[in-house]
Structure formats: C-alpha cells, structure tokens
Amino acid sequence: MVQLYSKRKNQIQYAQKTNFFILEELSRLRGEFKKIKTRELWEYPETVRNHPLSIDLDLCTKQGFLGIYDTTITEIGFETYLKRFLQEPIENTSLHSDPSEIQHILKKKSSYGYHLLRKFLVPDGEPNEKFSLPQVHAEDSFWKKRRFLKGFFPIWGFLSPFYIVLGLLFDLPLIPFLLLTNGILFVSYRRDSLKQWKEIRALSSAASRFQKTFIYLAKERKSTKQMIGLISSLGDSSELLISPLPHLILNILCLWDLWKIKALEKWKNKFGKLWNELQVQMVRTDSILPFVNFGFLFPEARFAELSNSGPLCADSLVHPLLPKSSRVFNPLAKMEPGDLMIVTGSNMSGKTTYLRSIAMSLLLAGSGAPVLGSNFKFPKFKIHTLIRSQDSMEDGVSFFYSEVRRLSSIIQTAEHSDQVPILFLDEILKGTNSKERYIATREILSVLREKQTIVFLTTHDLKLAEIPWAKRFHFTELEVGGQMDFDYKIRDGVSGSTNALKILKKEGIPIRNEEE
C-alpha cells in the first residue's frame, strides 16, 4: 500500500508540473509574460545582471528574455545558457555545442522538442529552482591515505561482528579490546568518510531527481537503470547518518562506513564513465532547451545564415518579445564592416526598439537559435551596446564619463578582435552640449570606421545625419484625427517631424510660446 501510494503521489506531482508547464508555454505564446514566474534581478549572477548587454537590452528584468525563456533545471545548464546567449566564453570545452544542434532537434517530429522539455521536468522542484548534477571524480584520496586498511578491513570487518556474537554466547575474552580498536579506527577515518557520504548523497539525489531524463537520453537503458538503482540504494544508507548512535554502533561493530565507501568505489569503476557521459549530454541539452523551446513555440522563426566574411542584413526582423498582435517587421539594409547606420525619428516612433530587435536577433543567431524574420545573414561578430548609461555616486562617475569609458573600452576591444565588432548606440554623449557632442561623435564614429566596426546610431540631432558615409533611415508618426499614430515602419532618409511639444501638451503641460 505504501508503494502504491508513493507511485500515485509521484504521478500526481508529474501531472501537476506538466499542467503548470503548459500554462507557462501558453503565456509565452500569447506574450502574457507577467503570468510567468521569472527570477528577480538579484537572483542572477552579478556578472550577468551587470553585463552591458543585460542592462541595455533588459535581459534580466522580470519580463526579460533570459527569464521568460529559461527552462533549465541544472545549475551548470543555467550558467551555460546565460553565457551562450551573452556570447561569453564557456570554460568547460565538453559543454560546447554545435550551433546546428538546435536546428537538428527542431527538425525532428514537431512535438519532439516539447516531449524533450517534459522529460526535463522536476516534479518536486519550485519555479526557477536549479539543481546540482555532479560529475563522478575518479581520484580517490580516501584510500590513498589508507592503503593497508583497504586490504585489511574486509577481513577485520567480517571477523569483528562474528567474534562479538560468539563472545557473547560463549563468554570469549578481548571483546572490549576489539570494540575499542574499531572505535579508534572509526574516529581516524570519520572526517574523510563524511566527505564520501556527501558525494554519495549528491549522486543519489541527482539520480533520483533526474531518473526519467537519464533513461530518456541514454542509449544503454538497461545499464542506466542499473546505475541509478545502485547509487539510489547506496544513498538510502546515508539516512543512518541522521541518527549518530546507530551510525556509531554499526561502525564499531563492522566498520560500516568502509563497506559503503568500497561499494561507491566499485560503482564508480563500473558506471563512472557512463554517468559522466550522460551528465555532459544532459547539461548540454539543458542549456540549449530554452532556444529549442523558442523555436518550438514560433515555428515561423527561421535560422540565420552565418557568413564569416559576408554582410549583416535581413529582409525582415522583429523583436522576439513583442506579442504577435504587436509585431511590425522591418528590413535591415546590407551592412558591411565599417558601415554606419543613423536612425532618426520622433519620440516613441520605434528607433530604440529597432536597434534592440537587431541586437536580440544577433544574440539568438549567435546562440544557434532561429530568428523572427527572414533571410537574416550575419558575420562572425562581437556585439557591443551603449543604450543605457549609468552614473555612480560612489565612484564619482557621471553619465558622460561613464559613456566615454565604455566607448574607449569598445574601441580598444575592436582593435584586437578577429570578429566583426557590431556596436549599438542610442543618443550618444547625452551629457554634453550640442556643439561638442557633434565634434566628439564625428571623431568617435571615424575611429570606429577605421576599426571596421558596424555601427547603429539613433539620434534626435539631425546634424549628425550629415556625416557623409552614413546610411540614413528614420521612423515617424502619422496624424490621424488630430491624434498621433505610429506605424513603426522604417523609412529611407532623415526624419522631418518632431513630436516632443505635442506629447507635453497631451500630458497637460502648457506650452505658452510654441512658435518660438
């Protein structure tokens, strides 16, 4: 009855988790991101939440891409997912995945990505909870310190309880001495044996938690089931550590810890290689499943074409977080290394969103994920953004100086890179006067051109659009029934309209001398 109850309980938990997952999928599909339980900003690693791309593209906010599409369940898988999207190096070479792997998964039968995600569900896990999935380490420092004990303890551990039982029956001598000897041995190895028990518990917990996933990914399912069963059984023995007295008695009687540590060594020798292969496969798959899920939810998304020496361009693209009802696709003109695109336009017309659409499409394409658009082509790139500058009272850094430092760093990085630097600038050098801003911006853009950097710049300063080598595009608003209406369509040339005063008046702020 207990076994039936336990099995039924697990089935209900899995059904509840699946239902929760489906509801989240529907929210992602409909663009109802507030219904998804995402991480708080402070829950991301500091290096990620303070990353320029995270700040400028709102990646770590409650409705940011990293949180909304995060389906990872392992700690290492989550870290690898973040690094892959932010184009940061992944130190563990075994976790490097071929960009075509996502495409390969999505090309299988249409529901394969969904079923793969379901196998990665953890019924007893909380939303956004990440679990440890350790590797098996072959080195064994425990026995290195105790080579004599390794060969001696099986004989001693067997004879001790046998002699004690006989001694109690026939009143044999030396029982106190034997118990004292075992007690001394237990004290000598207890600190190191607790480390071994910690490893046993970690492996056993992972085996039980990820059992379905291991078996689903494994080629040798019979061996995998045996591997999981043995380490889970060994982990059950660790429950005795909660009660110090029985634990002490067992070690005094038969050196119980040493038998279990020997069993762990035997398990490692037989299944260590299989475990590590499955661990790597699982973490790699876990880290790319958010991108697989994105492609599964939006089958209209298309894979980009990588061309090492080719241009950056697209027939159409859109920001991946815009709901279907609000999507407006825009083309991306061919941009070669050293090219500059200046985008002008009135407030709220879509300039910054356009820049973020290109940047997000690049990050998705660089991660091997499909892009919402068509014929997206990109070179081997290194992306930089300067959209949202931050000052610091603590360091005495102003907005202007913060921008200058970032620009200097980007220029220096571009000089030593074998990738095409792509830079996104929104209202550059906001913290200075218009005359100096124009001179400084012109010189900075000249240097970036020499460094073969592709630059996208939005600005309200129409004088900047006079830079001779720039490609000029703009967004504008339409007048419909005396009200401003935006179509968010990009157009050739420089914007001739402004709407700042209209917006002020609409919000009840009086403009007395509008003609001036």
Side-chain angles (χ1 to χ4, degrees):
M1 289 297 291
V2 170
Q3 288 179 341
L4 288 171
Y5 171 77
S6 178
K7 184 178 179 181
R8 182 63 176 163
K9 182 181 177 182
N10 290 336
Q11 289 174 340
I12 291 172
Q13 279 185 327
Y14 196 73
Q16 289 173 337
K17 191 73 175 181
T18 301
N19 181 63
F20 177 77
F21 170 69
I22 291 171
L23 291 175
E24 282 202 329
E25 289 287 87
L26 289 171
S27 296
R28 291 185 182 106
L29 189 61
R30 295 166 180 162
E32 298 171 347
F33 302 135
K34 290 183 179 180
K35 293 183 178 180
I36 301 172
K37 293 184 179 180
T38 55
R39 302 167 78 88
E40 297 288 347
L41 180 63
W42 55 267
E43 292 181 285
Y44 288 92
E46 186 177 356
T47 53
V48 173
R49 65 175 181 264
N50 291 333
H51 195 286
L53 292 178
S54 297
I55 296 169
D56 289 340
L57 302 177
D58 295 324
L59 298 179
C60 295
T61 59
K62 290 287 287 181
Q63 278 81 52
F65 184 93
L66 289 176
I68 287 168
Y69 287 97
D70 175 28
T71 58
T72 59
I73 57 173
T74 64
E75 294 171 350
I76 306 174
F78 178 61
E79 292 169 8
T80 308
Y81 158 63
L82 297 177
K83 287 181 179 179
R84 179 170 282 116
F85 191 73
L86 294 172
Q87 306 294 300
E88 292 295 315
I90 300 169
E91 292 80 9
N92 190 341
T93 54
S94 64
L95 297 181
H96 292 177
S97 61
D98 190 330
S100 64
E101 199 167 343
I102 297 170
Q103 190 170 0
H104 177 70
I105 292 173
L106 288 170
K107 274 187 175 179
K108 292 187 178 183
K109 57 183 182 180
S110 60
S111 60
Y112 178 73
Y114 167 72
H115 288 300
L116 189 58
L117 279 161
R118 284 185 69 242
K119 293 299 178 183
F120 275 73
L121 292 179
V122 179
D124 60 342
E126 295 295 323
N128 301 308
E129 187 176 2
K130 311 301 175 190
F131 300 96
S132 173
L133 181 56
Q135 276 198 320
V136 171
H137 300 288
E139 67 275 4
D140 198 343
S141 58
F142 183 87
W143 292 119
K144 279 183 181 179
K145 299 177 184 177
R146 303 170 178 86
R147 294 188 186 277
F148 172 75
L149 188 60
K150 184 177 181 180
F152 171 72
F153 96 86
I155 301 170
W156 187 258
F158 175 76
L159 290 177
S160 291
F162 183 72
Y163 184 85
I164 290 168
V165 171
L166 288 179
L168 292 173
L169 291 173
F170 301 105
D171 196 22
L172 297 177
L174 302 177
I175 290 179
F177 174 75
L178 188 146
L179 293 174
L180 178 63
T181 303
N182 286 353
I184 293 170
L185 282 173
F186 175 55
V187 171
S188 71
Y189 64 68
R190 185 173 186 275
R191 177 179 293 180
D192 289 338
S193 72
L194 287 176
K195 294 177 182 177
Q196 298 290 307
W197 279 116
K198 185 178 180 180
E199 184 179 6
I200 288 171
R201 281 198 297 263
L203 291 169
S204 173
S205 176
S208 300
R209 181 170 286 125
F210 303 128
Q211 180 178 358
K212 283 180 178 288
T213 317
F214 272 134
I215 294 171
Y216 188 75
L217 295 176
K219 293 179 181 177
E220 302 175 12
R221 295 196 173 184
K222 186 177 179 181
S223 298
T224 304
K225 288 179 180 179
Q226 189 182 5
M227 174 188 75
I228 291 169
L230 287 173
I231 194 63
S232 298
S233 177
L234 193 57
D236 292 340
S237 304
S238 66
E239 296 297 325
L240 274 172
L241 271 69
I242 299 171
S243 306
L245 186 58
H247 183 223
L248 174 65
I249 292 170
L250 281 170
N251 277 279
I252 289 176
L253 288 176
C254 64
L255 306 177
W256 186 69
D257 278 11
L258 299 183
W259 290 104
K260 297 301 178 181
I261 293 169
K262 183 71 175 176
L264 174 64
E265 182 188 44
K266 185 179 178 182
W267 181 87
K268 283 183 176 182
N269 291 336
K270 186 173 182 180
F271 297 110
K273 185 179 178 182
L274 175 61
W275 176 281
N276 286 340
E277 288 174 354
L278 286 171
Q279 189 262 4
V280 169
Q281 185 182 357
M282 184 170 169
V283 170
R284 284 176 55 188
T285 306
D286 189 34
S287 68
I288 65 173
L289 278 180
F291 307 115
V292 172
N293 194 34
F294 178 79
F296 169 70
L297 289 173
F298 303 109
E300 67 272 21
R302 295 289 177 265
F303 285 93
E305 179 185 336
L306 172 62
S307 177
N308 290 331
S309 57
L312 170 64
C313 60
D315 289 348
S316 66
L317 54 83
V318 72
H319 197 288
L321 292 186
L322 287 173
K324 286 188 176 182
S325 59
S326 305
R327 288 179 189 168
V328 176
F329 288 83
N330 280 300
L332 170 58
K334 183 184 290 187
M335 299 290 288
E336 304 279 359
D339 280 352
L340 164 66
M341 179 187 288
I342 294 180
V343 183
T344 56
S346 51
N347 295 289
M348 305 189 303
S349 58
K351 303 187 302 297
T352 306
T353 300
Y354 181 64
L355 257 62
R356 286 178 169 155
S357 301
I358 302 170
M360 289 293 291
S361 298
L362 274 169
L363 291 176
L364 283 169
S367 303
V371 174
L372 284 174
S374 59
N375 292 328
F376 189 86
K377 298 177 182 178
F378 67 102
K380 191 177 180 182
F381 67 93
K382 178 65 178 177
I383 190 171
H384 305 276
T385 57
L386 190 51
I387 294 174
R388 184 176 288 137
S389 301
Q390 291 183 314
D391 61 351
S392 172
M393 292 180 65
E394 183 180 348
D395 298 329
V397 176
S398 66
F399 282 109
F400 177 74
Y401 190 50
S402 173
E403 276 190 285
V404 170
R405 289 202 308 188
R406 284 274 304 279
L407 284 166
S408 173
S409 173
I410 291 166
I411 290 170
Q412 291 171 22
T413 303
E415 194 169 4
H416 305 288
S417 177
D418 59 345
Q419 302 166 312
V420 177
I422 302 177
L423 175 58
F424 296 87
L425 299 169
D426 185 33
E427 297 295 342
I428 187 173
L429 303 179
K430 296 181 281 289
T432 188
N433 63 76
S434 58
K435 181 179 179 181
E436 288 187 318
R437 180 170 63 247
Y438 173 74
I439 296 170
T441 302
R442 184 189 61 200
E443 296 306 310
I444 289 168
L445 293 175
S446 298
V447 172
L448 290 169
R449 189 185 187 196
E450 293 170 6
K451 305 294 182 186
Q452 292 294 285
T453 303
I454 296 175
V455 180
F456 295 90
L457 169 67
T458 67
T459 183
H460 286 98
D461 190 344
L462 300 184
K463 190 174 182 181
L464 284 176
E466 298 173 4
I467 293 175
W469 67 87
K471 296 181 179 180
R472 302 166 187 84
F473 295 90
H474 74 279
F475 290 86
T476 189
E477 80 279 1
L478 307 172
E479 192 86 16
V480 179
Q483 298 293 323
M484 289 182 297
D485 184 57
F486 300 96
D487 62 3
Y488 305 112
K489 287 285 186 182
I490 196 166
R491 296 168 170 82
D492 290 331
V494 180
S495 172
S497 65
T498 59
N499 63 3
L501 298 181
K502 294 176 184 177
I503 294 172
L504 290 171
K505 288 167 66 177
K506 183 180 178 181
E507 294 301 316
I509 299 175
I511 305 297
R512 295 186 178 88
N513 298 308
E514 185 174 344
E515 293 181 1
E516 293 180 9

